[in-house]
Amino acid sequence: MTLTPADADKILADNFAPWVLALGLTVQETGERHAVLRLPWSESLARDGGGLCGQALMAAADTATVIAISAARGAYGPMTTVQQSTSFQRPVVGADVLIGVRVTKLGKRMAFADITMTPKGADEPSATASTVYALLG
């Protein structure tokens, strides 16, 4: 089964806490082993100095990974984060962020993914991450 962006948006709406939904994430693209979500710029997510706070980027990366794993599996199923490592390289100021996730290994009980967080219109990412998920069902 191919997971469409509309299917993935429904996964977001049906399975995530209200504070995650408040980030305003939207699914831009899904594929066999990847997904791209958009985190819209919001002053409410900015820290002192006007840069997007790291916590918002980390939550977006974690959430986008669920969508990418769901796309790789063909449907949503219970899963949980085991590990996430994030490297911040430059600030995001006044721009939406595209969260690109590539599932690098999909096993029966574990999944691994690499994430790139790039401001819209930028050539270089602002942050990168890697995640490990336990697949529960």
Side-chain angles (χ1 to χ4, degrees):
M1 174 181 159
T2 302
L3 194 72
T4 68
D7 296 331
D9 277 330
K10 183 159 177 34
I11 290 169
L12 284 174
D14 292 348
N15 296 285
F16 286 88
W19 70 268
V20 175
L21 298 177
L23 292 172
L25 291 165
T26 56
V27 180
Q28 304 296 293
E29 180 181 323
T30 54
E32 185 178 324
R33 294 178 76 92
H34 79 278
V36 178
L37 278 68
R38 179 187 297 262
L39 174 64
W41 171 258
S42 171
E43 290 288 336
S44 68
L45 299 177
R47 58 176 172 71
D48 290 344
L52 187 66
C53 72
Q55 294 94 331
L57 286 169
M58 291 175 72
D62 192 47
T63 304
T65 300
V66 172
I67 299 304
I69 292 170
S70 296
R73 297 174 83 192
Y76 174 79
M79 63 185 88
T80 190
T81 311
V82 173
Q83 182 272 334
Q84 179 174 338
S85 177
T86 306
S87 297
F88 300 98
Q89 299 165 4
R90 58 189 52 81
V92 176
V93 179
D96 292 0
V97 180
L98 297 176
I99 314 293
V101 182
R102 184 175 57 88
V103 177
T104 58
K105 180 170 176 41
L106 180 63
K108 291 182 181 180
R109 295 285 173 223
M110 302 289 286
F112 298 78
D114 290 330
I115 302 103
T116 304
M117 295 164 264
T118 307
K120 179 92 169 119
D123 294 329
E124 298 291 328
S126 287
T128 59
S130 63
T131 56
V132 179
Y133 267 72
L135 307 176
L136 307 173

